[in-house]
Amino acid sequence: MGKNKIPFTESRSYPVFFMILITVIFIGILATFHQITRQRIENHRILSYKKTVLSLFDLPFTNIEADYNDFIEENNQNGMDYLTARKENQIIGYGFNISGSGLWGSIHMIIAVTPDFQEIIKLDILDQNETPGLGGRITESWFKDQFSGKDFVEQGKIIPFKLVPEEDDIDLKEIRQITGASSSSKAVVKILYLELQNIADKLGIKYD
Amino acid sequence: MTKKEIFIVSAFTENSVWKQVLGICSALAVTNLMKNSLVMGLGVTFTLALSGLTISLLRQYIPKRVRMMVQTLIIASYVIIVDIFLKAFYPEMSKALGPYVGLIITNCIIMGRAEAFAGKNKPLDSMIDGIGAGLGYSLVLLLISFFRELFGFGSVMGFSVLGDWWYRWSIMVMAPSAFFMLAILIWIIEGPLRANRKK
């Protein structure tokens, strides 16, 4: 009896072989591409971070690396990393990386506060995973700029800002929330409140 | 079909959104701003064109039983390549696009065209079909987002056009408005416009 030989492409092992082969090829292409661009992406990330820090303190950034080294000092106290910004030998403020839970993932922010740790100079969002077009609007300037110049201390205690509808006028303790994204707006305000308390505890800041 | 006919059929006659009701998730999510819709549309068009080309080139070797796994792998790879490329060479644009690039993977139009067209047709035809389907999808997104942004924010492409006197319709910014805007669009195209064409 003649033995009917099945072609390899019709055998049961062919799909497995093909899947492994194509996975190896595509993952190989991706891994190579990632490896080639990794350092470049990391450099962009560091440069972007330094530019954000300088802009928080309204410092120049014509040469980002040199300006960052001239004006910013990286410090650590009681396990808390923070940045000290100086201009003409005067401390103009402190910077802190803060983070917490948003609606879909973590929100990473950076805040600049005045040397007396009472007022926000500026706030910026470094990374977020909120809903595009809704919660993602926390990165828009009008939302972030509301925090600038806000005093977060009242009667010797750090207080959370109150959220009001987007169309409303605001006072010094209020923030306009994003329409359709109240959870993301609340998350930013909550992260800010909890992290400011945490920073004050770790650095031993007291208000009389 | 000629190449021109392939393009017209995939972009208009058999439009993925208003005719096949595909890609609805992203059509609802990103259409409250025109800029977001444009970015999403371009990303989907690019991925559709290249994944269609690749799947068509490999169509004779892809085993039927694992074809969807292969399609997903190819689509995801292209999306990741776009993401890495933007991060490495156009960091500002990558930052502006944010999570939209990753969201392209979840668009069912790409998988739909791979199954319905690229797996059975020539590479160049599949690429043209992908470009047509992508531009047809982009057209719908831009149409919906034009009205949502105009009434919801008083702006077009981020530029204020209605001024401060305009009282913003909050509902237009939220997802429910995308449902009824899409329904109105489908009704206009498949109802009055189609009736006119028949006459």
Side-chain angles (χ1 to χ4, degrees), chain A residues 14 37 40 44 132-133 137 166, chain B residues 32 61 84 88 100 153 168:
Chain A
Y14 178 67
T37 54
R40 200 184 171 95
H44 284 314
R137 291 179 60 216
E166 194 172 324
Chain B
N32 59 356
Y61 309 101
I84 295 175
Y100 293 106
F153 294 108
R168 294 173 179 189

Side-chain angles (χ1 to χ4, degrees), chain A residues 79-206:
Chain A
M80 167 70 66
D81 289 320
Y82 65 95
L83 306 164
T84 306
R86 283 191 177 83
K87 198 175 181 182
E88 290 158 7
N89 289 327
Q90 289 276 313
I91 293 178
I92 55 168
Y94 296 104
F96 300 91
N97 290 299
I98 60 172
S99 61
S101 299
L103 183 64
W104 302 118
S106 296
I107 299 175
H108 296 273
M109 300 186 277
I110 181 162
I111 49 160
V113 297
T114 50
D116 59 2
F117 203 75
Q118 296 224 6
E119 193 183 294
I120 295 170
I121 300 171
K122 220 170 177 183
L123 168 152
D124 210 341
I125 311 284
L126 295 173
D127 189 32
Q128 53 86 23
N129 296 291
E130 302 306 283
T131 315
L134 291 171
R137 291 179 60 216
I138 57 173
T139 57
E140 289 182 6
S141 299
W142 73 268
F143 183 75
K144 295 184 294 187
D145 291 350
Q146 298 180 88
F147 294 89
S148 301
K150 285 267 193 296
D151 190 337
F152 54 84
V153 178
E154 196 173 84
Q155 293 172 340
K157 282 168 85 175
I158 293 172
I159 52 141
F161 297 120
K162 193 183 161 201
L163 285 164
V164 297
E166 194 172 324
E167 299 79 17
D168 285 12
D169 294 326
I170 49 170
D171 67 21
L172 273 171
K173 306 287 181 198
E174 290 176 333
I175 296 292
R176 288 188 290 140
Q177 66 182 14
I178 299 160
T179 303
S182 52
S183 297
S184 301
S185 312
K186 274 181 199 159
V188 172
V189 169
K190 190 180 171 188
I191 292 167
L192 194 61
Y193 171 60
L194 294 176
E195 289 282 66
L196 283 171
Q197 280 188 323
N198 182 35
I199 294 163
D201 287 347
K202 282 201 171 160
L203 299 183
I205 297 162
K206 297 264 184 281

Side-chain angles (χ1 to χ4, degrees), chain A residues 12 14-15 18-19 22-23 26 29-30 33-34 37 40-41 44 48 132-134 137 140 166-167 179-180, chain B residues 29 32 58 61-63 69-70 73-74 77 80-81 84-85 87-89 91 95 99-100 153 168 170 173-174:
Chain A
R12 292 180 69 171
Y14 178 67
F18 185 86
M19 201 63 223
I22 199 156
T23 304
F26 273 88
I29 293 169
L30 287 181
F33 196 50
H34 170 71
T37 54
R40 200 184 171 95
I41 293 170
H44 284 314
S48 167
L134 291 171
R137 291 179 60 216
E140 289 182 6
E166 194 172 324
E167 299 79 17
T179 303
Chain B
N32 59 356
L58 294 172
Y61 309 101
I62 300 173
M69 285 163 70
V70 175
L73 180 80
I74 292 168
S77 299
I80 295 166
I81 285 171
I84 295 175
F85 180 80
K87 276 182 182 156
F89 299 100
K95 205 174 174 185
Y100 293 106
F153 294 108
R168 294 173 179 189
S170 299
V173 178
M174 293 187 271

